[in-house]
Amino acid sequence: MVDFSLKGKVALITGASYGIGFAIAKGMAGAGATIVFNDIKQELVDKGIAAYKEAGIEAHGYVCDVTNEEAVGEFVKKVTEEVGHINILVNNAGIIMRIPMLDMTAAQFRKVIDIDLNGPFIMAKAVIPDMIEQGGGKIINICSMMSELGRETVSAYAAAKGGLKMLTRNIASEYGKYNIQCNGIGPGYIATPQTAPLRELQPDGSRHPFDQFIIAKTPAERWGEAEDLAGPAVFLASPASDFVNGHILYVDGGILAYIGKQPGNE
Ligand code: NAP
Ligand code: GCO
């Protein structure tokens, strides 16, 4: 029988008060995992705990900035003492800044790299030693279409997510022998607060041009929902994927496979 169960496992999902992380955490809870999450503000952690409770999940929430190595070390130690050994890490926390490269400051570029790439490195470095002690573990890095493709105004984000793809492969290469599987999920365009500006209705009530562009670029002809990512995440967190390592699983409705709707075929 294929084992998709996460019963008895502790899953830590970063930045999971809402959005994709929240949906992945709900999916993992449904598969039996104990949920731990963090956010950078206590008020968001409190809101997250209430939202999980409303979904029937007793989640453990902590305030922690994934870019702060000392705070992350204390966070992981606290979780291990208070909840249990971390079996599954989902590096979900991330930001985007949509600024033309020539207008972007080095400080802005560094901030995106720090959260979207250094953060996953710091989190993985903090959990791997105990995963080795425990005989294995699962790390899932939330990558992006921008791990493969560029577009105007997202240079820092694409550089970070491209780097995160290779960090995923490197963790798989370096720690696979300890029964640690490190894989990525590459979501397509998902309807969350992060992409809300790309979906805003225009003053005349028409759809945002980018919204129309994505619909034309997606064979599924829709934006993804955060819930679309829960199943792939449970698969990569479960024993069913024990021989999958260093893989980026794109959950994009077919965008990467499709040249885009030809004019006149709308
Ligand atoms: P979101 O709605 O903006 O949520 C991001 C979460 O990360 C928020 O809870 C945020 O907390 C948290 N966060 C930000 N900086 C942090 C830090 N330094 N330490 C800890 N937590 C931090 O984003 P989302 O759309 O759910 O995306 C989640 C992940 O999926 C991101 O890595 C994103 O790049 C990736 N992704 C998104 C899409 C999409 O279309 N939405 C597609 C592909 C990949 P605050 O609210 O306090 O800032
Ligand atoms: C953008 C979007 C994308 C998505 C996602 C696509 O501005 O192009 O925010 O980057 O967030 O990463 O996979």
Side-chain angles (χ1 to χ4, degrees):
M1 163 100 137
V2 178
D3 188 359
F4 291 102
S5 172
L6 305 183
K7 201 162 170 43
K9 304 291 184 188
V10 174
L12 192 169
I13 304 94
T14 64
S17 299
Y18 56 87
I20 286 173
F22 184 75
I24 286 177
K26 280 198 296 182
M28 290 188 170
T34 297
I35 300 304
V36 177
F37 74 100
N38 70 300
D39 220 307
I40 42 183
K41 298 172 202 129
Q42 186 60 53
E43 63 182 298
L44 269 173
V45 170
D46 295 343
K47 273 189 186 162
I49 289 172
Y52 283 111
K53 210 175 190 76
E54 204 173 311
I57 299 164
E58 289 300 325
H60 304 263
Y62 296 81
V63 177
C64 181
D65 178 341
V66 296
T67 65
N68 181 328
E69 191 162 19
E70 192 184 339
V72 166
E74 285 157 20
F75 168 42
V76 168
K77 184 168 178 287
K78 206 164 181 207
V79 169
T80 308
E81 287 164 358
E82 296 176 359
V83 184
H85 296 289
I86 297 164
N87 309 105
I88 301 157
L89 168 66
V90 181
N91 278 312
N92 167 77
I95 66 166
I96 192 166
M97 289 187 197
R98 299 183 183 96
I99 304 168
M101 190 174 130
L102 297 186
D103 300 337
M104 183 174 247
T105 65
Q108 289 169 320
F109 188 92
R110 284 195 193 97
K111 182 172 171 71
V112 175
I113 297 289
D114 204 18
I115 294 169
D116 293 10
L117 181 55
N118 296 344
F121 165 78
I122 290 167
M123 285 300 306
K125 193 167 161 246
V127 305
I128 284 173
D130 193 41
M131 283 185 173
I132 292 173
E133 286 287 308
Q134 297 306 310
K138 298 280 190 178
I139 297 174
I140 301 168
N141 293 323
I142 306 301
C143 296
S144 161
M145 293 287 96
M146 276 53 221
S147 297
E148 301 294 342
L149 303 169
R151 83 173 184 86
E152 301 82 359
T153 76
V154 295
S155 59
Y157 184 82
K161 293 298 188 178
L164 187 55
K165 173 175 75 170
M166 289 316 299
L167 176 62
T168 301
R169 290 181 176 159
N170 216 75
I171 293 171
S173 306
E174 201 163 347
Y175 297 100
K177 62 183 171 225
Y178 299 108
N179 188 34
I180 291 172
Q181 291 85 49
C182 182
N183 293 288
I185 286 178
Y189 279 81
I190 312 296
T192 70
Q194 191 244 50
T195 55
L198 306 175
R199 291 177 281 109
E200 270 166 7
L201 286 180
Q202 302 302 284
D204 65 2
S206 63
R207 298 179 77 148
H208 191 294
F210 195 90
D211 179 0
Q212 297 178 51
F213 166 69
I214 289 302
I215 298 299
K217 276 288 286 177
T218 310
E221 295 190 347
R222 68 173 176 89
W223 284 72
E225 296 299 328
E227 287 68 27
D228 287 318
L229 299 162
V234 167
F235 164 63
L236 289 176
S238 74
S241 62
D242 280 355
F243 203 55
V244 179
N245 211 8
H247 182 71
I248 312 298
L249 176 55
Y250 286 98
V251 185
D252 65 355
I255 294 178
L256 282 180
Y258 186 41
I259 196 168
K261 201 170 289 307
Q262 299 136 57
N265 279 16
E266 287 78 15

mmCIF file of all heavy atoms in Angstrom, residues 170-211:
data_model
loop_
_atom_site.group_PDB
_atom_site.id
_atom_site.type_symbol
_atom_site.label_atom_id
_atom_site.label_comp_id
_atom_site.label_asym_id
_atom_site.label_seq_id
_atom_site.Cartn_x
_atom_site.Cartn_y
_atom_site.Cartn_z
ATOM 1 N N ASN A 170 21.288 20.889 -4.319
ATOM 2 C CA ASN A 170 22.533 20.675 -3.570
ATOM 3 C C ASN A 170 22.293 20.001 -2.214
ATOM 4 O O ASN A 170 23.063 19.131 -1.796
ATOM 5 C CB ASN A 170 23.285 22.000 -3.375
ATOM 6 C CG ASN A 170 24.780 21.758 -3.450
ATOM 7 O OD1 ASN A 170 25.321 21.545 -4.534
ATOM 8 N ND2 ASN A 170 25.412 21.693 -2.286
ATOM 9 N N ILE A 171 21.214 20.387 -1.553
ATOM 10 C CA ILE A 171 20.883 19.722 -0.280
ATOM 11 C C ILE A 171 20.593 18.243 -0.558
ATOM 12 O O ILE A 171 21.055 17.353 0.159
ATOM 13 C CB ILE A 171 19.686 20.404 0.398
ATOM 14 C CG1 ILE A 171 20.055 21.822 0.865
ATOM 15 C CG2 ILE A 171 19.184 19.572 1.591
ATOM 16 C CD1 ILE A 171 18.871 22.663 1.361
ATOM 17 N N ALA A 172 19.874 17.974 -1.654
ATOM 18 C CA ALA A 172 19.582 16.582 -2.032
ATOM 19 C C ALA A 172 20.878 15.819 -2.254
ATOM 20 O O ALA A 172 21.046 14.672 -1.810
ATOM 21 C CB ALA A 172 18.737 16.558 -3.303
ATOM 22 N N SER A 173 21.831 16.467 -2.914
ATOM 23 C CA SER A 173 23.109 15.809 -3.249
ATOM 24 C C SER A 173 23.934 15.541 -1.998
ATOM 25 O O SER A 173 24.527 14.478 -1.838
ATOM 26 C CB SER A 173 23.912 16.712 -4.194
ATOM 27 O OG SER A 173 23.145 17.053 -5.323
ATOM 28 N N GLU A 174 23.953 16.530 -1.091
ATOM 29 C CA GLU A 174 24.868 16.469 0.064
ATOM 30 C C GLU A 174 24.327 15.597 1.194
ATOM 31 O O GLU A 174 25.074 14.976 1.929
ATOM 32 C CB GLU A 174 25.112 17.901 0.567
ATOM 33 C CG GLU A 174 26.348 18.103 1.385
ATOM 34 C CD GLU A 174 26.762 19.595 1.496
ATOM 35 O OE1 GLU A 174 26.239 20.452 0.733
ATOM 36 O OE2 GLU A 174 27.597 19.872 2.360
ATOM 37 N N TYR A 175 22.958 15.509 1.316
ATOM 38 C CA TYR A 175 22.371 14.852 2.488
ATOM 39 C C TYR A 175 21.458 13.679 2.141
ATOM 40 O O TYR A 175 20.824 13.093 3.006
ATOM 41 C CB TYR A 175 21.669 15.901 3.371
ATOM 42 C CG TYR A 175 22.681 16.901 3.882
ATOM 43 C CD1 TYR A 175 22.825 18.155 3.287
ATOM 44 C CD2 TYR A 175 23.582 16.553 4.880
ATOM 45 C CE1 TYR A 175 23.810 19.037 3.702
ATOM 46 C CE2 TYR A 175 24.569 17.424 5.315
ATOM 47 C CZ TYR A 175 24.683 18.667 4.712
ATOM 48 O OH TYR A 175 25.674 19.543 5.129
ATOM 49 N N GLY A 176 21.394 13.345 0.875
ATOM 50 C CA GLY A 176 20.584 12.185 0.488
ATOM 51 C C GLY A 176 21.037 10.913 1.173
ATOM 52 O O GLY A 176 20.235 10.044 1.514
ATOM 53 N N LYS A 177 22.339 10.825 1.446
ATOM 54 C CA LYS A 177 22.850 9.584 2.071
ATOM 55 C C LYS A 177 22.337 9.408 3.506
ATOM 56 O O LYS A 177 22.443 8.332 4.092
ATOM 57 C CB LYS A 177 24.387 9.584 2.062
ATOM 58 C CG LYS A 177 25.042 10.694 2.828
ATOM 59 C CD LYS A 177 26.566 10.630 2.693
ATOM 60 C CE LYS A 177 27.230 11.871 3.280
ATOM 61 N NZ LYS A 177 28.278 12.412 2.388
ATOM 62 N N TYR A 178 21.806 10.470 4.102
ATOM 63 C CA TYR A 178 21.243 10.391 5.472
ATOM 64 C C TYR A 178 19.720 10.198 5.429
ATOM 65 O O TYR A 178 19.024 10.475 6.415
ATOM 66 C CB TYR A 178 21.575 11.674 6.232
ATOM 67 C CG TYR A 178 23.059 11.921 6.391
ATOM 68 C CD1 TYR A 178 23.699 12.937 5.657
ATOM 69 C CD2 TYR A 178 23.840 11.132 7.226
ATOM 70 C CE1 TYR A 178 25.073 13.165 5.789
ATOM 71 C CE2 TYR A 178 25.205 11.351 7.371
ATOM 72 C CZ TYR A 178 25.811 12.365 6.642
ATOM 73 O OH TYR A 178 27.177 12.588 6.773
ATOM 74 N N ASN A 179 19.222 9.773 4.282
ATOM 75 C CA ASN A 179 17.778 9.569 4.107
ATOM 76 C C ASN A 179 16.993 10.873 4.251
ATOM 77 O O ASN A 179 15.879 10.924 4.778
ATOM 78 C CB ASN A 179 17.220 8.516 5.088
ATOM 79 C CG ASN A 179 15.761 8.172 4.784
ATOM 80 O OD1 ASN A 179 15.348 8.171 3.617
ATOM 81 N ND2 ASN A 179 14.982 7.932 5.825
ATOM 82 N N ILE A 180 17.648 11.980 3.824
ATOM 83 C CA ILE A 180 16.944 13.263 3.767
ATOM 84 C C ILE A 180 16.607 13.515 2.296
ATOM 85 O O ILE A 180 17.504 13.473 1.441
ATOM 86 C CB ILE A 180 17.810 14.413 4.332
ATOM 87 C CG1 ILE A 180 17.982 14.240 5.847
ATOM 88 C CG2 ILE A 180 17.184 15.783 4.014
ATOM 89 C CD1 ILE A 180 18.971 15.216 6.483
ATOM 90 N N GLN A 181 15.329 13.728 2.014
ATOM 91 C CA GLN A 181 14.924 14.081 0.650
ATOM 92 C C GLN A 181 14.598 15.573 0.628
ATOM 93 O O GLN A 181 13.795 16.045 1.452
ATOM 94 C CB GLN A 181 13.704 13.274 0.191
ATOM 95 C CG GLN A 181 13.985 11.786 -0.037
ATOM 96 C CD GLN A 181 13.875 10.989 1.251
ATOM 97 O OE1 GLN A 181 12.900 11.118 1.994
ATOM 98 N NE2 GLN A 181 14.873 10.184 1.552
ATOM 99 N N CYS A 182 15.250 16.275 -0.299
ATOM 100 C CA CYS A 182 14.996 17.716 -0.449
ATOM 101 C C CYS A 182 14.482 17.954 -1.870
ATOM 102 O O CYS A 182 15.175 17.654 -2.846
ATOM 103 C CB CYS A 182 16.271 18.515 -0.225
ATOM 104 S SG CYS A 182 15.994 20.298 -0.350
ATOM 105 N N ASN A 183 13.256 18.428 -1.956
ATOM 106 C CA ASN A 183 12.630 18.695 -3.256
ATOM 107 C C ASN A 183 12.020 20.085 -3.248
ATOM 108 O O ASN A 183 11.895 20.730 -2.206
ATOM 109 C CB ASN A 183 11.552 17.636 -3.538
ATOM 110 C CG ASN A 183 12.161 16.255 -3.740
ATOM 111 O OD1 ASN A 183 12.791 15.959 -4.757
ATOM 112 N ND2 ASN A 183 11.980 15.390 -2.745
ATOM 113 N N GLY A 184 11.615 20.544 -4.423
ATOM 114 C CA GLY A 184 10.975 21.849 -4.528
ATOM 115 C C GLY A 184 9.576 21.715 -5.103
ATOM 116 O O GLY A 184 9.269 20.732 -5.776
ATOM 117 N N ILE A 185 8.751 22.680 -4.792
ATOM 118 C CA ILE A 185 7.468 22.839 -5.473
ATOM 119 C C ILE A 185 7.539 24.180 -6.193
ATOM 120 O O ILE A 185 7.934 25.189 -5.598
ATOM 121 C CB ILE A 185 6.285 22.822 -4.482
ATOM 122 C CG1 ILE A 185 6.052 21.381 -3.983
ATOM 123 C CG2 ILE A 185 5.002 23.357 -5.145
ATOM 124 C CD1 ILE A 185 4.943 21.250 -2.957
ATOM 125 N N GLY A 186 7.214 24.164 -7.490
ATOM 126 C CA GLY A 186 7.215 25.402 -8.266
ATOM 127 C C GLY A 186 5.783 25.778 -8.607
ATOM 128 O O GLY A 186 5.244 25.306 -9.606
ATOM 129 N N PRO A 187 5.142 26.606 -7.764
ATOM 130 C CA PRO A 187 3.761 26.979 -8.067
ATOM 131 C C PRO A 187 3.699 27.842 -9.322
ATOM 132 O O PRO A 187 4.642 28.592 -9.595
ATOM 133 C CB PRO A 187 3.314 27.776 -6.834
ATOM 134 C CG PRO A 187 4.340 27.456 -5.767
ATOM 135 C CD PRO A 187 5.616 27.195 -6.513
ATOM 136 N N GLY A 188 2.599 27.742 -10.024
ATOM 137 C CA GLY A 188 2.357 28.679 -11.125
ATOM 138 C C GLY A 188 1.879 29.994 -10.545
ATOM 139 O O GLY A 188 2.356 30.437 -9.489
ATOM 140 N N TYR A 189 0.909 30.615 -11.196
ATOM 141 C CA TYR A 189 0.372 31.870 -10.661
ATOM 142 C C TYR A 189 -0.827 31.548 -9.783
ATOM 143 O O TYR A 189 -1.831 31.017 -10.239
ATOM 144 C CB TYR A 189 0.035 32.810 -11.818
ATOM 145 C CG TYR A 189 1.282 33.507 -12.299
ATOM 146 C CD1 TYR A 189 2.163 32.866 -13.166
ATOM 147 C CD2 TYR A 189 1.635 34.758 -11.814
ATOM 148 C CE1 TYR A 189 3.338 33.482 -13.569
ATOM 149 C CE2 TYR A 189 2.816 35.384 -12.220
ATOM 150 C CZ TYR A 189 3.672 34.733 -13.085
ATOM 151 O OH TYR A 189 4.848 35.344 -13.460
ATOM 152 N N ILE A 190 -0.650 31.844 -8.491
ATOM 153 C CA ILE A 190 -1.613 31.441 -7.459
ATOM 154 C C ILE A 190 -2.302 32.684 -6.881
ATOM 155 O O ILE A 190 -1.649 33.707 -6.642
ATOM 156 C CB ILE A 190 -0.899 30.668 -6.327
ATOM 157 C CG1 ILE A 190 0.027 29.572 -6.881
ATOM 158 C CG2 ILE A 190 -1.912 30.089 -5.335
ATOM 159 C CD1 ILE A 190 -0.621 28.449 -7.634
ATOM 160 N N ALA A 191 -3.577 32.586 -6.648
ATOM 161 C CA ALA A 191 -4.350 33.734 -6.129
ATOM 162 C C ALA A 191 -4.136 33.867 -4.619
ATOM 163 O O ALA A 191 -4.802 33.222 -3.812
ATOM 164 C CB ALA A 191 -5.834 33.541 -6.435
ATOM 165 N N THR A 192 -3.148 34.676 -4.252
ATOM 166 C CA THR A 192 -2.863 34.948 -2.835
ATOM 167 C C THR A 192 -2.608 36.460 -2.694
ATOM 168 O O THR A 192 -2.512 37.170 -3.702
ATOM 169 C CB THR A 192 -1.581 34.224 -2.370
ATOM 170 O OG1 THR A 192 -0.454 34.868 -3.015
ATOM 171 C CG2 THR A 192 -1.603 32.748 -2.712
ATOM 172 N N PRO A 193 -2.407 36.944 -1.454
ATOM 173 C CA PRO A 193 -2.099 38.374 -1.305
ATOM 174 C C PRO A 193 -0.881 38.806 -2.128
ATOM 175 O O PRO A 193 -0.806 39.928 -2.623
ATOM 176 C CB PRO A 193 -1.833 38.511 0.197
ATOM 177 C CG PRO A 193 -2.676 37.445 0.815
ATOM 178 C CD PRO A 193 -2.628 36.293 -0.155
ATOM 179 N N GLN A 194 0.062 37.903 -2.326
ATOM 180 C CA GLN A 194 1.298 38.269 -3.040
ATOM 181 C C GLN A 194 1.008 38.648 -4.500
ATOM 182 O O GLN A 194 1.673 39.489 -5.076
ATOM 183 C CB GLN A 194 2.297 37.105 -2.971
ATOM 184 C CG GLN A 194 3.698 37.453 -3.427
ATOM 185 C CD GLN A 194 4.115 36.683 -4.663
ATOM 186 O OE1 GLN A 194 3.377 36.657 -5.650
ATOM 187 N NE2 GLN A 194 5.268 36.067 -4.624
ATOM 188 N N THR A 195 -0.003 38.004 -5.094
ATOM 189 C CA THR A 195 -0.292 38.309 -6.508
ATOM 190 C C THR A 195 -1.532 39.184 -6.666
ATOM 191 O O THR A 195 -1.958 39.458 -7.798
ATOM 192 C CB THR A 195 -0.498 37.001 -7.298
ATOM 193 O OG1 THR A 195 -1.540 36.235 -6.646
ATOM 194 C CG2 THR A 195 0.779 36.197 -7.406
ATOM 195 N N ALA A 196 -2.092 39.636 -5.553
ATOM 196 C CA ALA A 196 -3.308 40.462 -5.648
ATOM 197 C C ALA A 196 -3.131 41.664 -6.578
ATOM 198 O O ALA A 196 -4.001 41.957 -7.404
ATOM 199 C CB ALA A 196 -3.743 40.905 -4.252
ATOM 200 N N PRO A 197 -1.963 42.364 -6.532
ATOM 201 C CA PRO A 197 -1.808 43.527 -7.436
ATOM 202 C C PRO A 197 -1.914 43.148 -8.921
ATOM 203 O O PRO A 197 -2.252 43.989 -9.756
ATOM 204 C CB PRO A 197 -0.399 44.044 -7.111
ATOM 205 C CG PRO A 197 -0.087 43.517 -5.745
ATOM 206 C CD PRO A 197 -0.781 42.196 -5.661
ATOM 207 N N LEU A 198 -1.637 41.907 -9.255
ATOM 208 C CA LEU A 198 -1.656 41.458 -10.660
ATOM 209 C C LEU A 198 -3.064 41.068 -11.099
ATOM 210 O O LEU A 198 -3.290 40.755 -12.268
ATOM 211 C CB LEU A 198 -0.716 40.259 -10.845
ATOM 212 C CG LEU A 198 0.721 40.435 -10.384
ATOM 213 C CD1 LEU A 198 1.484 39.118 -10.519
ATOM 214 C CD2 LEU A 198 1.406 41.542 -11.182
ATOM 215 N N ARG A 199 -3.994 41.075 -10.155
ATOM 216 C CA ARG A 199 -5.359 40.617 -10.471
ATOM 217 C C ARG A 199 -6.401 41.703 -10.219
ATOM 218 O O ARG A 199 -7.596 41.465 -10.349
ATOM 219 C CB ARG A 199 -5.699 39.362 -9.625
ATOM 220 C CG ARG A 199 -4.902 38.128 -10.045
ATOM 221 C CD ARG A 199 -5.189 36.921 -9.166
ATOM 222 N NE ARG A 199 -4.465 36.999 -7.887
ATOM 223 C CZ ARG A 199 -5.059 37.225 -6.728
ATOM 224 N NH1 ARG A 199 -6.355 37.392 -6.686
ATOM 225 N NH2 ARG A 199 -4.350 37.303 -5.613
ATOM 226 N N GLU A 200 -5.906 42.910 -9.870
ATOM 227 C CA GLU A 200 -6.855 43.992 -9.532
ATOM 228 C C GLU A 200 -7.717 44.354 -10.738
ATOM 229 O O GLU A 200 -7.205 44.486 -11.856
ATOM 230 C CB GLU A 200 -6.066 45.239 -9.102
ATOM 231 C CG GLU A 200 -5.777 45.284 -7.615
ATOM 232 C CD GLU A 200 -4.720 46.349 -7.300
ATOM 233 O OE1 GLU A 200 -4.328 47.117 -8.223
ATOM 234 O OE2 GLU A 200 -4.266 46.377 -6.156
ATOM 235 N N LEU A 201 -9.015 44.524 -10.509
ATOM 236 C CA LEU A 201 -9.887 44.970 -11.592
ATOM 237 C C LEU A 201 -9.509 46.394 -11.990
ATOM 238 O O LEU A 201 -9.119 47.202 -11.160
ATOM 239 C CB LEU A 201 -11.356 44.923 -11.155
ATOM 240 C CG LEU A 201 -11.997 43.517 -11.063
ATOM 241 C CD1 LEU A 201 -13.450 43.632 -10.624
ATOM 242 C CD2 LEU A 201 -11.878 42.783 -12.394
ATOM 243 N N GLN A 202 -9.592 46.686 -13.270
ATOM 244 C CA GLN A 202 -9.277 48.019 -13.800
ATOM 245 C C GLN A 202 -10.419 48.993 -13.500
ATOM 246 O O GLN A 202 -11.548 48.550 -13.233
ATOM 247 C CB GLN A 202 -9.035 47.908 -15.305
ATOM 248 C CG GLN A 202 -7.905 46.937 -15.643
ATOM 249 C CD GLN A 202 -6.575 47.315 -14.983
ATOM 250 O OE1 GLN A 202 -5.903 48.236 -15.414
ATOM 251 N NE2 GLN A 202 -6.225 46.610 -13.922
ATOM 252 N N PRO A 203 -10.152 50.323 -13.552
ATOM 253 C CA PRO A 203 -11.216 51.318 -13.255
ATOM 254 C C PRO A 203 -12.489 51.083 -14.078
ATOM 255 O O PRO A 203 -13.598 51.314 -13.592
ATOM 256 C CB PRO A 203 -10.550 52.644 -13.623
ATOM 257 C CG PRO A 203 -9.085 52.400 -13.463
ATOM 258 C CD PRO A 203 -8.865 50.955 -13.836
ATOM 259 N N ASP A 204 -12.310 50.549 -15.294
ATOM 260 C CA ASP A 204 -13.519 50.312 -16.132
ATOM 261 C C ASP A 204 -14.149 48.951 -15.843
ATOM 262 O O ASP A 204 -15.050 48.503 -16.563
ATOM 263 C CB ASP A 204 -13.160 50.417 -17.632
ATOM 264 C CG ASP A 204 -12.181 49.318 -18.073
ATOM 265 O OD1 ASP A 204 -11.824 48.455 -17.203
ATOM 266 O OD2 ASP A 204 -11.760 49.308 -19.246
ATOM 267 N N GLY A 205 -13.649 48.259 -14.788
ATOM 268 C CA GLY A 205 -14.242 46.967 -14.398
ATOM 269 C C GLY A 205 -13.659 45.784 -15.145
ATOM 270 O O GLY A 205 -14.000 44.636 -14.879
ATOM 271 N N SER A 206 -12.735 46.070 -16.098
ATOM 272 C CA SER A 206 -12.141 44.947 -16.864
ATOM 273 C C SER A 206 -11.048 44.277 -16.039
ATOM 274 O O SER A 206 -10.572 44.838 -15.040
ATOM 275 C CB SER A 206 -11.526 45.485 -18.173
ATOM 276 O OG SER A 206 -10.464 46.390 -17.853
ATOM 277 N N ARG A 207 -10.687 43.086 -16.501
ATOM 278 C CA ARG A 207 -9.651 42.327 -15.770
ATOM 279 C C ARG A 207 -8.295 42.982 -15.994
ATOM 280 O O ARG A 207 -8.032 43.567 -17.048
ATOM 281 C CB ARG A 207 -9.611 40.875 -16.270
ATOM 282 C CG ARG A 207 -10.910 40.116 -16.027
ATOM 283 C CD ARG A 207 -10.851 38.710 -16.551
ATOM 284 N NE ARG A 207 -10.082 37.840 -15.650
ATOM 285 C CZ ARG A 207 -10.354 36.545 -15.496
ATOM 286 N NH1 ARG A 207 -11.333 35.989 -16.179
ATOM 287 N NH2 ARG A 207 -9.631 35.791 -14.678
ATOM 288 N N HIS A 208 -7.386 42.886 -15.009
ATOM 289 C CA HIS A 208 -6.024 43.419 -15.113
ATOM 290 C C HIS A 208 -5.360 42.782 -16.341
ATOM 291 O O HIS A 208 -5.511 41.581 -16.580
ATOM 292 C CB HIS A 208 -5.264 43.060 -13.832
ATOM 293 C CG HIS A 208 -3.946 43.760 -13.664
ATOM 294 N ND1 HIS A 208 -2.878 43.537 -14.498
ATOM 295 C CD2 HIS A 208 -3.543 44.677 -12.766
ATOM 296 C CE1 HIS A 208 -1.852 44.287 -14.100
ATOM 297 N NE2 HIS A 208 -2.227 44.991 -13.047
ATOM 298 N N PRO A 209 -4.608 43.567 -17.115
ATOM 299 C CA PRO A 209 -3.941 43.005 -18.304
ATOM 300 C C PRO A 209 -3.086 41.783 -17.966
ATOM 301 O O PRO A 209 -3.064 40.797 -18.701
ATOM 302 C CB PRO A 209 -3.075 44.169 -18.798
ATOM 303 C CG PRO A 209 -3.747 45.401 -18.275
ATOM 304 C CD PRO A 209 -4.386 45.013 -16.977
ATOM 305 N N PHE A 210 -2.412 41.819 -16.778
ATOM 306 C CA PHE A 210 -1.568 40.674 -16.411
ATOM 307 C C PHE A 210 -2.442 39.448 -16.131
ATOM 308 O O PHE A 210 -2.084 38.312 -16.473
ATOM 309 C CB PHE A 210 -0.701 41.003 -15.190
ATOM 310 C CG PHE A 210 0.432 40.024 -14.992
ATOM 311 C CD1 PHE A 210 1.666 40.249 -15.574
ATOM 312 C CD2 PHE A 210 0.244 38.856 -14.250
ATOM 313 C CE1 PHE A 210 2.708 39.340 -15.415
ATOM 314 C CE2 PHE A 210 1.271 37.941 -14.089
ATOM 315 C CZ PHE A 210 2.506 38.179 -14.674
ATOM 316 N N ASP A 211 -3.583 39.667 -15.542
ATOM 317 C CA ASP A 211 -4.550 38.590 -15.268
ATOM 318 C C ASP A 211 -4.936 37.918 -16.600
ATOM 319 O O ASP A 211 -4.890 36.701 -16.753
ATOM 320 C CB ASP A 211 -5.772 39.224 -14.588
ATOM 321 C CG ASP A 211 -6.869 38.225 -14.271
ATOM 322 O OD1 ASP A 211 -6.701 37.022 -14.573
ATOM 323 O OD2 ASP A 211 -7.896 38.647 -13.725
#
